Amino acid sequence: MTLHMRRPFKLPPIDPFLLALIATVAFASVVPARGGAVHWFELATDFAIALLFFLHGAKLSREAILDGIGNWRLHVMVLASTYVLFPLIGLVLTGLEAGWANPQFASGLLFLALLPSTVQSSIAFTAMAGGNVAAAVCSASLSNLLGIVATPLLLALFSHVGGGGGAAPSLAAVQTIVVQLLLPFVAGHLLRPWIGGFVTRHKAILQPVDRSSILLVVYTAFSAAVVGGIWQRIDLADMAVLLANCAVILALVMGANVAMARLAGLPREDAIVLLFCGSKKSLVSGVPMAGALFPAAQVGQVVLPLMVFHQLQLFVCAVIAGRYAQALAQEGDETPQPPPGIPQGADAAIAAAAGHGMAIPPECLPGVVENLALLERQAAVLREADGGEA
Amino acid sequence: MSAAALAQDIRAGRASAVAVTEACLARLEADRHVAITRILGQRARAEAATVDAEIAAGGDPGPLAGVPYVVKDLFDVAGLPTTAGAGLLATAGPAAADAQAVARLRKAGAVLVGTANMDEFAYGFATVNATHGTTRNPHDPARLAGGSSGGSAAAVAAGLVPFSLGSDTNGSIRVPASLCGLFGLKPTHGSLPMAGTFPLAESFDDIGPFATSAADTALVWQVLAGAELPSPAPTAFRVGRLGGRFRQNADAEQLAAIDAIAGEGPLVDLPGIAGARAAAFLITAFEGGALHRDRLRENALGFDPATRDRLIAGSLLPEALHARALRFRQRFRDEVLAAIAGFDVLLAPATPCVAPTIADPRIRIDGEMRPARADLGIHTQPVSFLGLPSLAVPLKRPRRLPLGVQLIGWPGGEPMLFAFAAELEKRGLIGCETGVMA
């Protein structure tokens, strides 16, 4: 008898954050916030959203945005995928399904199609697949920045067409975006020289703050939805159709991105950036935005497609990135990287320190920058003595 | 009094170790140079009593019987935290045992009386320490003693103890020896016991003694190395002078003294010295930064302001640069050893100038004023880079601030350096100024 080795069967890993989201939805379904508590939860939610964007403003390095800007053709393609291709597919799908049983899911699908790309997972998948990480940082950051303004505007433009019903944001909603999202973001970013270090240093504390603020938004949203009778309006068939819709959107976008990269003759590293940054939709930006743009009672149903899509994209992209990494290893393609340079300037120093999980205290920053400049001078002397190559 | 003479008196019963120790402890208490960080009265008295008891019983405690000494604050001393000059480590757990070097000195009869001030984590040439203060140069208290082993140097130069131990990564023994007018040895890399010392950059870290004569330096070296000096001592020396970069950024009188010592000795130009210094600088920054990265991540502000920025910057250096600097070292070392094959001793300045003032701790390098903390080691750093032994010796400069010269030898060539230094002492070209008690 021959024994055959069987590949051990493994369940695909589930994002623990998604499990927390599901638990929050379940909790809100059983114990929703009611009566006087609603006001306080809404206040807390507003504060959490503002805090979230404030922290993102403090976290995002100006250099990360500026550094990769040179690769404009790639960024235009990524932005086109996020803000043109996605909305077109969303519009067509919701148009085709005009007799949708649950119009708020249609609203949610359209909303999802208009959202910016994710930052962290886009970059992580790009790195895993051996793509152009610097360009991914830039593309994803640009997409997120642009999304603060572009998503509400596009939603205002398209929701009339897409049959989103009461989801159209008024000028007041855009104002809310500015006050609740943009201002805290800019404030955070302007305070970055002082608090950027703290934010990075206390990543372990801030990450739960970041995530729990999203959970708070979800809880308030679902409470409102439950009180408004969401579970009476959703059935298994709705969920199945939702999942199918998300799969179709993802497949169409990814297919189009691969074709677009080939047509444009993008190098492999940039094609990977387009594939991952161009096909993502951000749950982190999307949930608070929905909280700001849609009436509380609708938010729960509007973000449901986003939650389904989010987990689907993580699964699919993880599999694809794994394939890329495997192919890269098989090719033995170890393109020698030029030795990375010594970080120069405050932003580069902060970014390099963050790469080591370290935050440079503001009072040390000038001295560190000065010492890095001194080290760079020594490195130049060494290069000259050592034959001059970079 | 020299260490050797003091040990002889104690071994012969002309002096008691306990009395010598008590007098020494009183001097440490009265010291105003910020040289000492901890006075180890109880331990010192016990060690001295052991020495006296052994002599009373007819035994021989060893060649350093009853001689008091201090160690830089980075040597393990059993029962005390090893702070490396850092306030951050003041509450660290106590060392379980003495550093190996301290244990060897104890076996030779020496009496440990205190720990000495240093730049935090040995990173600097100034001994400006936020926790303990700035060590003052006994020849002029308004000036730096040099560093990072500045407390060890000042303790000997001020006449507190006959010898002391320091550590030298890029010049941390030779720089303060030059500024305080002492003999200071950086041994062949890796030849003296490093166990139980707090590192800075392991590619270059060494320990060594400060003393007031070639003979005392040799005596302490023998105890630490467990080696004997050859007998008879060499008397003929093939001497060369290091040229090029070593002739720039140097004091004119220092260069004249080097020329006088070398006599007919030719100038040896080592190409790529600037590259060697740069590579040594980068390797030290990288290894120091990597060593402290976890601590910096947790509590950067707990570090001394004078060292933390340098350590953070070092911790951000790319690994590829460190690897490149190490590759450069290997090639450079092969080239230099070939170029100096015909010499026993090479001469070079120990520091580019006399001690800078504490008020303006800068020195002129290539026409620019640069921080002394980083640049006093311009002539010592390339020698550490090669791993060669180097003995800093004080030029005879009556009524002027001290200035030193490096006697550089072949790997394992310390006995040759001691013999040559003794010869220069005899000729009156080098030697410590006595009676410094400023």
Side-chain angles (χ1 to χ4, degrees):
Chain A
M1 194 173 78
T2 316
L3 284 173
H4 293 282
M5 290 295 287
R6 279 201 324 170
R7 274 181 68 188
F9 175 76
K10 275 188 188 165
L11 279 173
I14 297 177
D15 184 358
F17 181 53
L18 192 87
L19 290 179
L21 275 177
I22 292 167
T24 305
V25 170
F27 185 68
S29 303
V30 181
V31 195
R34 291 174 191 275
V38 173
H39 171 68
W40 291 108
F41 268 106
E42 279 174 357
L43 263 185
T45 305
D46 287 351
F47 176 76
I49 294 170
L51 179 67
L52 190 67
F53 275 80
F54 178 79
L55 292 177
H56 277 284
K59 260 197 244 175
L60 208 66
S61 153
R62 206 165 307 168
E63 204 146 281
I65 304 163
L66 296 178
D67 261 11
I69 276 178
N71 205 343
W72 61 268
R73 197 167 65 121
L74 176 61
H75 306 320
V76 167
M77 289 167 85
V78 170
L79 290 176
S81 174
T82 305
Y83 294 116
V84 180
L85 180 62
F86 254 112
L88 280 179
I89 294 173
L91 278 173
V92 171
L93 260 187
T94 48
L96 283 177
E97 297 168 10
W100 189 272
N102 197 329
Q104 266 145 28
F105 282 179
S107 244
L109 273 182
L110 188 58
F111 174 64
L112 137 78
L114 304 178
L115 281 172
S117 182
T118 61
V119 177
Q120 281 178 346
S121 64
S122 290
I123 296 164
F125 288 134
T126 299
M128 185 173 164
N132 182 346
V133 175
V137 169
C138 184
S139 268
S141 304
L142 271 179
S143 175
N144 260 262
L145 276 180
L146 203 60
I148 292 176
V149 177
T151 301
L153 288 180
L154 286 171
L155 196 62
L157 191 66
F158 291 134
S159 54
H160 299 298
V161 188
S170 61
L171 195 64
V174 175
Q175 236 172 1
T176 311
I177 282 283
V178 170
V179 174
Q180 217 170 319
L181 312 187
L182 196 56
L183 277 185
F185 182 87
V186 170
H189 194 62
L190 290 179
L191 289 172
R192 187 174 145 74
W194 297 277
I195 62 167
F198 178 85
V199 172
T200 316
R201 191 163 60 246
H202 295 89
K203 206 161 48 178
I205 302 168
L206 290 180
Q207 197 183 33
V209 172
D210 191 339
R211 294 187 164 203
S212 55
S213 58
I214 293 178
L215 294 179
L216 189 60
V217 172
V218 170
Y219 174 72
T220 312
F222 266 86
S223 289
V226 168
V227 174
I230 184 177
W231 296 123
Q232 282 80 46
R233 297 203 293 268
I234 291 181
D235 52 31
L236 270 179
D238 274 347
M239 287 299 282
V241 174
L242 197 56
L243 197 62
N245 271 277
C246 288
V248 168
I249 294 177
L250 191 61
L252 285 175
V253 171
M254 287 191 132
N257 281 342
V258 170
M260 199 146 59
R262 283 202 187 139
L263 276 177
L266 286 186
R268 183 180 176 283
E269 291 78 9
D270 289 356
I272 289 171
V273 176
L274 179 58
L275 178 63
F276 289 127
C277 292
S279 67
K280 289 283 183 312
K281 287 297 177 183
S282 170
L283 187 68
V284 176
S285 305
V287 172
M289 271 193 195
L293 290 172
F294 291 87
Q298 292 178 13
V299 170
Q301 291 182 22
V302 165
V303 299
L304 207 58
L306 174 59
M307 288 167 63
V308 172
F309 185 85
H310 182 75
Q311 187 64 5
L312 194 64
Q313 74 183 5
L314 290 182
F315 272 101
V316 172
C317 289
V319 171
I320 294 176
R323 288 270 166 88
Y324 268 116
Q326 222 171 11
L328 200 64
Q330 278 169 359
E331 281 168 27
D333 180 10
E334 288 186 8
T335 317
Q337 295 291 314
I342 300 174
Q344 296 295 296
D347 279 354
I350 289 170
H356 289 293
M358 193 196 303
I360 303 174
E363 45 272 75
C364 299
L365 194 56
V368 172
V369 169
E370 199 179 304
N371 274 288
L372 286 169
L374 174 65
L375 289 168
E376 177 54 40
R377 287 200 293 277
Q378 299 290 351
V381 173
L382 172 63
R383 282 194 288 271
E384 200 186 324
D386 197 21
E389 84 264 27
Chain B
M1 181 177 265
S2 84
L6 185 59
Q8 269 175 10
D9 281 356
I10 291 171
R11 286 161 106 180
R14 292 189 293 271
S16 96
V18 168
V20 166
T21 298
E22 287 299 343
C24 179
L25 291 172
R27 285 198 299 275
L28 298 191
E29 291 284 358
D31 180 56
R32 295 287 174 266
H33 297 100
V34 198
I36 305 301
T37 55
R38 288 176 293 200
I39 299 174
L40 309 176
Q42 199 180 352
R43 173 182 168 130
R45 289 182 182 102
E47 282 186 347
T50 307
V51 168
D52 283 343
E54 198 169 345
I55 290 166
D60 181 3
L64 289 169
V67 179
Y69 72 104
V70 297
V71 292
K72 188 175 182 175
D73 220 342
L74 52 65
F75 286 81
D76 280 356
V77 175
L80 294 180
T82 306
T83 72
L88 203 62
L89 298 185
T91 52
D98 285 342
Q100 202 177 346
V102 173
R104 288 189 182 178
L105 289 172
R106 192 181 64 234
K107 273 191 198 145
V111 174
L112 180 64
V113 291
T115 57
N117 200 11
M118 58 186 286
D119 286 299
E120 187 186 67
F121 294 121
Y123 203 13
F125 291 121
T127 311
V128 174
N129 186 295
T131 306
H132 301 292
T134 298
T135 295
R136 295 173 178 275
N137 192 318
H139 292 266
D140 178 354
R143 292 178 185 268
L144 292 175
S148 62
S149 311
S152 300
V156 177
L160 306 180
V161 285
F163 81 93
S164 64
L165 292 191
S167 71
D168 188 315
T169 302
N170 285 303
S172 284
I173 289 175
R174 290 160 289 161
V175 166
S178 174
L179 302 189
C180 293
L182 298 171
F183 291 77
L185 174 72
K186 186 214 89 75
T188 306
H189 180 56
S191 63
L192 292 185
M194 296 298 294
T197 59
F198 197 101
L200 167 60
E202 287 178 346
S203 291
F204 306 128
D205 287 343
D206 279 305
I207 60 154
F210 289 94
T212 56
S213 68
D216 274 3
T217 314
L219 176 60
V220 179
W221 174 80
Q222 287 181 85
V223 169
L224 291 174
E228 291 291 324
L229 289 176
S231 183
T235 50
F237 309 96
R238 296 171 297 169
V239 180
R241 296 167 292 159
L242 289 181
R245 190 74 181 148
F246 288 103
R247 305 288 287 188
Q248 299 156 8
N249 299 307
D251 182 282
E253 287 184 26
Q254 186 183 30
L255 291 178
I258 285 175
D259 294 345
I261 291 170
E264 299 293 306
L267 271 179
V268 183
D269 214 346
L270 303 179
I273 281 295
R277 206 244 158 173
F281 201 93
L282 292 165
I283 291 170
T284 306
F286 178 89
E287 294 184 6
L291 179 70
H292 292 287
R293 194 175 284 134
D294 286 346
R295 261 185 225 103
L296 289 166
R297 202 179 282 136
E298 285 163 17
N299 183 13
L301 292 179
F303 281 67
D304 189 328
T307 53
R308 67 188 178 207
D309 299 354
R310 296 185 81 190
L311 286 171
I312 293 173
S315 76
L316 304 183
L317 285 181
E319 205 163 334
L321 189 63
H322 178 244
R324 181 179 187 163
L326 287 176
R327 283 197 302 275
F328 176 81
R329 175 168 74 156
Q330 191 54 49
R331 212 173 53 242
F332 179 75
R333 190 177 146 90
D334 294 346
E335 284 170 15
V336 168
L337 290 182
I340 63 170
F343 300 96
D344 299 315
V345 181
L346 290 155
L347 303 176
T351 49
C353 54
V354 297
T357 61
I358 293 170
D360 182 14
R362 296 181 303 157
I363 57 172
R364 188 171 293 281
I365 298 290
D366 297 334
E368 275 176 42
M369 293 308 283
R370 304 256 194 91
R373 157 176 286 275
D375 276 327
L376 269 170
I378 186 169
H379 298 311
T380 50
Q381 207 154 12
V383 181
S384 301
F385 190 60
L386 294 162
L388 302 177
S390 171
L391 176 63
V393 297
L395 293 171
K396 268 277 189 211
R397 291 160 52 92
R399 291 176 303 284
R400 273 173 300 164
L401 286 167
L403 200 50
V405 166
Q406 292 184 84
L407 313 182
I408 301 156
W410 278 81
E414 281 87 343
M416 183 68 84
L417 300 182
F418 297 136
F420 187 60
E423 166 90 11
L424 297 180
E425 270 179 314
K426 215 184 295 171
R427 286 165 56 192
L429 295 172
I430 64 170
C432 290
E433 295 299 317
T434 52
V436 175
M437 293 296 283

